[in-house]
Amino acid sequence: MNKVSAAGLLIALGIIYGDIGTSPLYVLNAILKNRAVTEQLILGSLSCIIWTLTLQTTVKYVILTLRADNRGEGGIFSLFALVRRRRKWLVFAAMIGGAALLADGMITPPISVTSAIEGLRNIPTLSTITDNAIVGIVLGIIAALFFLQQFGTASIGKFFGPIMTIWFIMLAILGSVHLVEYISVFKAFNPYYAINLLTQYPHGFWLLGAVFLCTTGAEALYSDLGHCGRNNIRASWIFVKSSLILNYLGQSAWLLSHFKGQVISEEMITKGFNPFYGVMPEWFVIVGIIIATSAAIIASQALISGSFTLISEAIRLNLWPKMKIKYPSEAKGQLFVPGINAILFIGCCGIVLYFKKATNMEAAYGLAITMCMIATTILFANYLVLHRASPFYIYLFLAVYLTIEASFLVANLEKFPHGGYVTLVVGGLLFLVMYTWYRARKIKNRYVEFVRLDDYITNLQELSNDKTIPKYATHLVYLTSADNPRELEHKIIYSILNRKPKRADIYWFIHVDTLDDPYTMEYKVEHIIPNDIIRVEFRLGFRVQPRINLLFRKVVQDLVANKEVNITSRYDSLERNNIAGDFEFIVMEKYLSQDNELPFAEKLIMRLHFWLKDVSLSEERGFGLDPSNVTVEKFPLIVAPVTTIKLKRLEMN
């Protein structure tokens, strides 16, 4: 995967650069809105863009963060899985980063597609196209994009690389042809102009909020590490960064040669003014719009696919409620989460209808993703600690990047009243879901009672041989959360012995251990009592879906082949004909008992947790069990029993 190849470079271009690659569509418009075109503004902004792409994207992500691969996989949850055992509070950084990335997934498709479609106003016959018509076209494209998700991207993904290659070549050529118009734009490589803009230009610091838009896709470089490989990303980034900077240089030269001293009003931008389309020859505009729209769709696709992967990882790490996951193709990493697809679709449509114009969407863009970048900085610093990096370099890394990202965050906060609150509210709600799921699990775990299995082996054997009790199943299978193979939850023992005695020939206890690496699939078997009580422990990576029905069937086949277990039915008539016995899974489903005395905050969390549980996937479907052989048993969760019952007995007359 890490070997540089033509195919690897093409895949990298097609998958990971959509978001950052479409930024020339809107960055300079965001900077120029209601400002006069001056050398100080243009050269200073261009210098900020060049050094942001260098420090933030190249150094932090391409050179440093890509080193933190988790068996070839990247992304904020992969990084968290590497460092989560170091500090418990790091889970909050991971949750903030994950929620911010999902919120970013709702704003990127609207702003990219809208910016591309607004280019229609640069065609003379369509110069008067209305905002409502553009909104309608954008909604149609977004609806088609989300509809196609259910079929997977394996078939259309092969076209992404060539289209994005054409896109970046177009960026480089269009920028290059305008450089001679104002050759002084090359001064922008000197960081002096960036510093001058931030310190001397009126309200210059706040321009960082618009400049930040040039690097919003940097997180995707790391998230898609597993699809492309580190060296393919690094090699392709040289071409991508060169194309982006050439285009920004060309746009800047065009502005200074044609609009120097002129104020670029919001009305001009609304009517179609855009340096990106301005650098195009008139005969090329239609072709440019088609290529730009294709690139915007690819950018959206990459973020949507990334959101599916992100949620599947969060589910496995117990940071998100269980959701239905489909696999449209056999390709590695290809999955479809219908619930998230619907949430993202509704969110994207809502943002398009609310903001209507790309220039308005810029106000909402960037604020959430800054939080994700800060979270990645914190997690990566802990990764460096675990790998015994020099404390000097760790503190230098933290000082540099927390300063840069805190500056971007403060500058982006200016966007809050103008639309930034939208992505913060969305990100906040997503974080609330993650926090509720995580915190409720911690509360429940405080009150889970484990018992020694050895103390109940005799009872289980006697029950299994007690022919006065009707047989419940030949094979009875329970899922247990006990890490210790010699322990079991008390509720399981209660279910077998007390509730309604469940006689079976063989009792199976299955435990699933989620590992820090992504794709491990291992199991081990302990015969506690041969052919009577068996424990199976699955060791699954955090990207492996726990399809227990399929995995358990494979384990049983292996055990039978090795003659370690006899699964033949023990009913006399069936045993004579060598017919396999039935398997019955018991799923223990909790509900919040009324007999609880919880603090107000914890009571609120538990109520929200069980509401999320009701609207999410059930336990049996979440573990991929066949409903035809599953029994769901409900039992009360009493996390804080009521102790003060003032009940007075009256004497009989």
Side-chain angles (χ1 to χ4, degrees):
M1 179 64 81
N2 275 323
K3 190 181 287 186
V4 177
S5 65
L9 293 172
L10 204 60
I11 290 168
L13 286 173
I15 291 177
I16 64 177
Y17 294 117
D19 191 1
I20 202 166
T22 52
S23 58
L25 277 165
Y26 44 78
V27 170
L28 283 176
N29 258 3
I31 291 169
L32 286 169
K33 187 162 70 174
N34 295 323
R35 292 185 177 90
V37 177
T38 63
E39 261 202 16
Q40 186 186 19
L41 175 64
I42 299 300
L43 293 183
S45 300
L46 187 55
S47 185
C48 284
I49 290 168
I50 290 168
W51 285 100
T52 297
L53 288 173
T54 300
L55 291 173
Q56 193 68 16
T57 314
T58 307
V59 177
K60 180 187 171 184
Y61 283 96
V62 176
I63 295 175
L64 296 176
T65 312
L66 286 184
R67 295 165 63 89
D69 71 313
N70 190 340
R71 301 285 181 92
E73 293 297 328
I76 194 148
F77 285 135
S78 292
L79 181 56
F80 167 64
L82 286 170
V83 301
R84 63 175 171 165
R85 300 186 195 284
R86 187 172 183 274
R87 292 283 186 271
K88 289 182 179 179
W89 59 265
L90 290 174
V91 69
F92 294 101
M95 289 191 290
I96 289 168
L101 261 180
L102 282 173
D104 185 52
M106 287 188 191
I107 186 72
T108 296
I111 192 171
S112 300
V113 177
T114 305
S115 296
I117 297 301
E118 283 179 350
L120 292 171
R121 290 193 171 121
N122 290 274
I123 302 170
T125 54
L126 295 173
S127 59
T128 57
I129 189 170
T130 63
D131 288 342
N132 288 338
I134 286 174
V135 166
I137 295 169
V138 172
L139 288 176
I141 291 171
I142 286 174
L145 181 64
F146 280 97
F147 175 75
L148 290 171
Q149 296 306 310
Q150 61 191 301
F151 305 111
T153 57
S155 56
I156 57 174
K158 65 182 76 168
F159 300 113
F160 286 3
I163 291 171
M164 292 306 292
T165 303
I166 293 168
W167 167 256
F168 287 116
I169 291 171
M170 183 187 85
L171 289 183
I173 292 171
L174 289 175
S176 299
V177 296
H178 289 278
L179 293 177
V180 292
E181 294 180 9
Y182 207 95
I183 205 72
S184 297
V185 289
F186 283 101
K187 291 179 182 175
F189 283 96
N190 185 341
Y192 161 79
Y193 291 92
I195 296 165
N196 178 264
L197 178 80
L198 298 178
T199 57
Q200 303 301 320
Y201 188 83
H203 308 293
F205 175 80
W206 303 103
L207 284 168
L208 281 178
V211 168
F212 182 72
L213 299 178
C214 76
T215 190
T216 49
E219 197 71 35
L221 296 174
Y222 182 43
S223 297
D224 285 310
L225 174 62
H227 291 106
C228 310
R230 183 190 306 132
N231 292 333
N232 283 311
I233 293 173
R234 286 176 173 169
S236 57
W237 173 243
I238 297 168
F239 166 61
V240 170
K241 184 184 177 185
S242 303
S243 300
L244 288 171
I245 289 178
L246 279 171
N247 193 261
Y248 283 122
L249 286 166
Q251 287 188 43
S252 301
W254 179 81
L255 282 165
L256 287 168
S257 62
H258 291 83
F259 292 89
K260 194 171 183 180
Q262 189 173 335
V263 174
I264 307 300
S265 65
E266 190 171 344
E267 187 182 353
M268 285 174 65
I269 294 172
T270 301
K271 287 181 177 178
F273 176 85
N274 191 332
F276 177 79
Y277 290 109
V279 297
M280 291 182 185
E282 200 171 303
W283 59 268
F284 187 74
V285 171
I286 295 175
V287 179
I289 291 168
I290 292 169
I291 297 172
T293 305
S294 303
I297 290 169
I298 291 169
S300 306
Q301 174 62 58
L303 267 164
I304 295 165
S305 302
S307 298
F308 296 156
T309 304
L310 191 80
I311 285 296
S312 71
E313 290 176 0
I315 291 170
R316 295 289 293 119
L317 292 167
N318 277 312
L319 297 176
W320 191 269
K322 287 183 172 64
M323 300 187 85
K324 187 176 185 180
I325 297 175
K326 293 183 176 180
Y327 299 86
S329 72
E330 293 301 313
K332 181 181 174 183
Q334 281 280 308
L335 50 90
F336 170 62
V337 187
I340 292 300
N341 195 57
I343 290 169
L344 288 177
F345 173 64
I346 293 166
C348 287
C349 290
I351 283 169
V352 172
L353 292 169
Y354 182 72
F355 290 107
K356 294 188 177 177
K357 303 172 188 174
T359 184
N360 295 338
M361 294 176 197
E362 289 154 10
Y365 199 29
L367 189 50
I369 202 69
T370 322
M371 307 290 290
C372 184
M373 289 184 171
I374 292 172
T376 301
T377 298
I378 293 167
L379 292 172
F380 184 70
N382 281 273
Y383 172 84
L384 292 175
V385 172
L386 287 175
H387 284 73
R388 295 183 170 83
S390 164
F392 171 77
Y393 290 117
I394 295 170
Y395 286 117
L396 179 65
F397 171 79
L398 280 171
V400 170
Y401 284 101
L402 288 180
T403 301
I404 292 172
E405 286 156 3
S407 300
F408 279 128
L409 178 62
V410 172
N412 274 309
L413 284 173
E414 190 198 24
K415 298 178 178 182
F416 184 82
H418 306 292
Y421 62 88
V422 173
T423 44
L424 275 192
V425 167
V426 171
L429 289 172
L430 294 168
F431 174 78
L432 179 64
V433 172
M434 291 187 189
Y435 176 74
T436 299
W437 203 254
Y438 165 79
R439 183 81 182 109
R441 184 166 159 268
K442 292 292 182 187
I443 293 170
K444 288 188 294 183
N445 286 349
R446 291 206 307 252
Y447 301 97
V448 173
E449 184 184 352
F450 291 100
V451 294
R452 297 288 298 173
L453 182 56
D454 292 345
D455 296 341
Y456 293 91
I457 286 176
T458 304
N459 301 71
L460 293 174
Q461 285 181 302
E462 288 177 355
L463 175 61
S464 182
N465 296 320
D466 187 351
K467 295 190 177 178
T468 63
I469 298 173
K471 193 180 290 185
Y472 193 87
T474 305
H475 302 271
L476 199 56
V477 188
Y478 281 89
L479 294 171
T480 173
S481 61
D483 294 324
N484 187 337
R486 310 310 298 181
E487 291 185 342
L488 210 58
E489 293 96 319
H490 180 264
K491 67 187 180 187
I492 293 178
I493 294 296
Y494 183 87
S495 169
I496 297 173
L497 299 177
N498 299 82
R499 194 163 196 167
K500 178 186 176 183
K502 294 182 179 64
R503 181 177 158 233
D505 293 326
I506 300 179
Y507 294 98
W508 300 78
F509 301 112
I510 295 177
H511 176 68
V512 180
D513 189 14
T514 302
L515 303 183
D516 292 343
D517 54 274
Y519 290 111
T520 298
M521 292 180 70
E522 301 170 345
Y523 76 91
K524 52 186 178 183
V525 177
E526 183 173 353
H527 296 274
I528 297 168
I529 301 291
N531 265 320
D532 235 347
I533 302 172
I534 302 171
R535 176 184 163 105
V536 179
E537 181 170 324
F538 289 106
R539 293 164 49 80
L540 304 178
F542 64 86
R543 281 200 172 181
V544 177
Q545 291 304 310
R547 293 188 271 187
I548 298 302
N549 213 45
L550 295 173
L551 297 173
F552 181 62
R553 192 183 305 162
K554 175 73 173 84
V555 170
V556 172
Q557 286 172 356
D558 289 352
L559 293 177
V560 170
N562 295 334
K563 296 183 179 178
E564 293 179 62
V565 69
N566 177 17
I567 64 167
T568 307
S569 175
R570 295 182 194 175
Y571 289 106
D572 293 341
S573 59
L574 299 179
E575 191 173 18
R576 278 196 300 271
N577 294 295
N578 204 32
I579 293 172
D582 61 311
F583 284 81
E584 187 71 21
F585 287 82
I586 305 293
V587 173
M588 314 291 284
E589 197 168 274
K590 312 174 193 72
Y591 65 88
L592 189 61
S593 170
Q594 297 297 316
D595 302 333
N596 278 295
E597 280 186 346
L598 283 167
F600 176 76
E602 291 191 354
K603 187 182 292 184
L604 206 61
I605 285 169
M606 294 308 294
R607 287 189 185 281
L608 185 53
H609 168 78
F610 280 101
W611 177 80
L612 288 169
K613 201 173 173 64
D614 287 341
V615 299
S616 59
L617 207 62
S618 62
E619 289 281 340
E620 67 270 21
R621 293 181 69 190
F623 281 110
L625 300 175
D626 184 352
S628 63
N629 58 3
V630 172
T631 299
V632 178
E633 280 192 2
K634 292 185 178 291
F635 69 96
L637 179 68
I638 303 176
V639 293
V642 177
T643 54
T644 54
I645 302 175
K646 295 180 179 178
L647 188 62
K648 182 180 179 182
R649 176 176 174 174
L650 298 176
E651 296 297 328
M652 294 294 293
N653 289 329

